[in-house]
Amino acid sequence: MWTAYLILIVLLLILTILPKIQNSHWIFRVPEFGKIQITFFILFTFALGFVVAENLENFWYYQAFLAILFVYHGFTLVKYTPLYPVKKYSQSNHSSQKLKFISANVYQFNKEHHHFIKLIEKYQPDFFLTMESNAEWEKALQPLEKEYIYQHKVPLENTYGMHFYSKTEIKKAQTHFFVANDIPTIEVHLETENGYKFVFFGVHPPPPSPTEEETSKERDGDLLSTAKRVTKIEEPVIVVGDFNNVAWSRSSVLFRKTSHLIDPRIGRSFVSTFHAKYRFLRFPIDLMFHSENIFIKELKTLENFGSDHLPVYCELFIDHQNDEQKKRIDKATNEEKTEAEEMIQEGKEENGDRDPVVTED
């Protein structure tokens, strides 16, 4: 057992170091996803040490090292808990009405369409986004079009299709293909009944993994291209989707800084979504960012409807006269802007090997 204790320490050290190496290969990027689980394993190993201690001469050095690792990971993770102080804001008489939306990676091969329809009927969002939605999903969701009369549809069979449905009027909508002609990002301009305009971006870049993309170049390039586009828009902005990324990764931080947007999970919760079936192996990869005049009232996951992702539910309002959130915006340095541009170019140059039609194994 003492040997197992030492092996765990070495493994935890490796998993901590790998993400610090700025290499886009999935071997270096995947450990970022497991920071929450790694932190729990550090605690487990620390407790295990008291049970299996044999070499007392070095025991406290090992335990002190584990404590340092815990503090290192905890310093990042605590920001995504209610322990981190963030002011809560209330609606005023000059803010918009409350808006509700749902974002869901439906899983292209999920045949339980009726469960998702029931979810929408239960929570009655003002608008919702689906990812991995293909022609079959589009057909299945047709009954909702009676109430959600505004739509923007990008049906694809490669697991990167995307659909947007809204009760709120769509003024303009377009589909971007920033780094690859089979990876869409949608941009939808909306206006509420009382005249509040805002822009919604839906994103779903490919993940770095041994079974999909070898590197994170396309993912990072796509996200940072979206960030660059956001800075050219004057209206309030929401960016939502399956980022295939975590909020504390280098590319997510660059996204937040270059887009001048706010991460609403800070001071709230992780809102972990994938994998829906495995609670203790669940990562927060369905993210959201918003501009300073959008205020979040509630952000949480909803019940599983048969997908491998849990849906994300959000309530928000818009207030142009409240500028208190401006101090939450971190802006990129010149060096970070240069790094972002390099990552965008690398993403465009990367040749993702994807089939136009993906079938379930």
Side-chain angles (χ1 to χ4, degrees), residues 5 12 19 22 35 68 132 229 260 312 317 331 341:
Y5 168 75
L12 290 167
Q22 293 308 307
K35 183 178 281 285
I68 291 170
E132 288 201 28
R229 171 63 184 161
H260 305 163
V312 175
F317 64 90
K331 295 187 177 181
E341 287 292 340

Side-chain angles (χ1 to χ4, degrees), residues 22 179 216-218 220-222 224 250-251 254 338-348:
Q22 293 308 307
V179 299
S216 65
K217 289 180 180 180
E218 281 190 306
D220 298 340
D222 188 71
L224 291 166
R250 177 62 179 167
S251 54
L254 278 176
T338 300
E339 182 181 358
E341 287 292 340
E342 291 173 352
M343 293 170 79
I344 290 172
Q345 190 58 39
E346 288 178 354
K348 291 178 178 179

Side-chain angles (χ1 to χ4, degrees), residues 99-162:
L99 295 169
K100 302 181 293 182
F101 77 81
I102 289 175
S103 167
N105 183 322
V106 297
Y107 182 58
Q108 181 171 302
F109 310 107
N110 176 14
K111 304 299 181 182
E112 299 179 39
H113 311 110
H114 61 287
H115 287 319
F116 182 73
I117 291 173
K118 287 181 179 178
L119 186 84
I120 297 299
E121 292 173 341
K122 176 181 177 180
Y123 290 96
Q124 287 293 307
D126 295 284
F127 50 94
F128 66 90
L129 171 73
T130 64
M131 292 153 286
E132 288 201 28
S133 42
N134 58 0
E136 182 179 341
W137 267 95
E138 183 177 308
K139 183 178 180 180
L141 296 179
Q142 283 180 354
L144 293 172
E145 294 182 9
K146 296 176 182 178
E147 191 169 4
Y148 293 87
I149 61 175
Y150 304 100
Q151 305 116 29
H152 183 63
K153 304 173 181 179
V154 191
L156 297 173
E157 303 297 330
N158 64 351
T159 73
Y160 292 98
M162 197 176 293

